[in-house]
Amino acid sequence: MTELAARNGNERAEALLRLTARLTELIQSETRMFQRRRPQDAVALQDEKSKLANIYRAEVARARAEPSRFAGASPAAKQALRQVTESFHAALAENSRAVTAMKIITEGVVRAIADEAARQRNTGNGYGPGAAQRPQRTGHVSIALNQTA
C-alpha cells in the first residue's frame, strides 16, 4: 500500500495527519536511541518507519501534483496537518543532528584504533635513545638451511 485509504479530502487529511504523527513518533524514538548511544535498538523501528516514510513521500508527491486531493478538508484538519508537519520536520532535523554526532563519534573511534594499531607496529626495538626502529615486516620470512645432517 502506497496510498492513503480515503473517500474524500477530509478523510485524506485525517489519514495523513495520523500517518505523519506516527512517523514523527518513530523518528523521535530513534533519535532518543541514538542520543543514548544505542543505535542497535533502532533496528526494530526500521521496517515500520520505512513503510510509513514511503507512503508519506508518495502522498506528498500526489498532493503537490494534484492539490484537489485535499479539497473539502476542514480548516481544523488542515491546521492540524500543518502543525504535525512542522513537528515532523523538527523531528527530522533533530534526528539528523543525532546521526551526524554518531557518525563523528564512530569515525573518531575508528581513527583512534587505526592510529594505535599503527603506533604498535612502529614500536622501536631495544632500549634507550640509540635504539633502532624495527624494520616493518611485509609477510616474507628469510630462512637459511644447513644441509649437514
Side-chain angles (χ1 to χ4, degrees), residues 35-124:
Q35 289 169 337
R36 289 186 303 228
R37 310 287 188 260
R38 305 236 356 121
Q40 66 276 14
D41 295 347
V43 172
L45 305 176
Q46 296 312 304
D47 190 44
E48 182 182 6
K49 186 179 83 168
S50 179
K51 287 176 184 175
L52 294 180
N54 286 333
I55 295 168
Y56 180 85
R57 275 191 295 270
E59 194 60 37
V60 168
R62 284 187 200 97
R64 282 190 184 121
E66 192 182 335
S68 63
R69 291 176 63 80
F70 290 95
S74 71
K78 288 180 181 179
Q79 180 59 31
L81 194 52
R82 279 186 207 95
Q83 289 173 341
V84 77
T85 300
E86 288 173 8
S87 295
F88 175 62
H89 286 280
L92 284 175
E94 182 65 23
N95 186 270
S96 177
R97 286 188 291 274
V99 168
T100 300
M102 283 190 47
K103 179 180 179 251
I104 290 168
I105 290 168
T106 301
E107 287 173 351
V109 168
V110 169
R111 193 174 309 109
I113 291 169
D115 290 348
E116 179 61 19
R119 188 188 66 73
Q120 288 181 6
R121 274 194 308 270
N122 293 327
T123 301

